[in-house]
Amino acid sequence: MRTAKICLAGAAAAAMVGFLAAPAAAAPTDTTDTTFEVLAGTLDIVAPTAADLGDGAPGGVITGQLGVVTVTDSRGASDASWVASVTASVFQTGGGSPPETVLPEEIDYWSGPATATTGNGTFTPGQATAGDAQPLSSVTPLTAFTHSGGTGGNTASWNPTLDVNVPLDSIAGVYTGTVTHSVA
């Protein structure tokens, strides 16, 4: 009888070990299909509202920076290329007679290098150095900056310089005109 009790106790102990060593059941799982949308934004350009290039004498050159121009592309396009262009109006003082007028073609523009960029692709200044400066026009847009390739969003900023080649017959006065940047 003693042997039967020991065997029964040993069997019970073995059963307890087996019960405790049994693999745990996996916790139930479930999945959630999740979506979100990347919105197509706009292509914008922002330029300073006003700039004072300084002063100079007739027959001289007045050089000054326009202020930071920034293109922001949030279109989320698979090809995020764009071209920023610049034109200018006639600059006048007084009554706008020929000696009171500076034509856009007498003003050279150079974008200089980017002051800041974000995004991928290639950012290229229209005129990287002063030696690359080109005359403005009221009719034919001059390329100020370009972005080619890349995807999604990007930004580029630059601070262009204007060289006003003041005509020798210019009359003294404050000349006012408009420099217009656009992007497409």
Side-chain angles (χ1 to χ4, degrees), residues 84-165:
S85 303
V86 59
T87 58
S89 69
V90 171
F91 286 72
Q92 296 179 334
T93 192
S97 67
E100 298 170 305
T101 301
V102 174
L103 301 174
E105 291 78 10
E106 295 169 311
I107 302 172
D108 294 331
Y109 177 101
W110 61 283
S111 58
T115 57
T117 62
T118 63
N120 56 19
T122 304
F123 298 91
T124 307
Q127 308 77 32
T129 67
D132 299 324
Q134 295 180 0
L136 290 169
S137 171
S138 59
V139 179
T140 306
L142 176 65
T143 297
F145 225 92
T146 64
H147 175 259
S148 58
T151 59
N154 63 78
T155 63
S157 298
W158 65 97
N159 192 355
T161 300
L162 300 180
D163 295 325
V164 181
N165 300 295

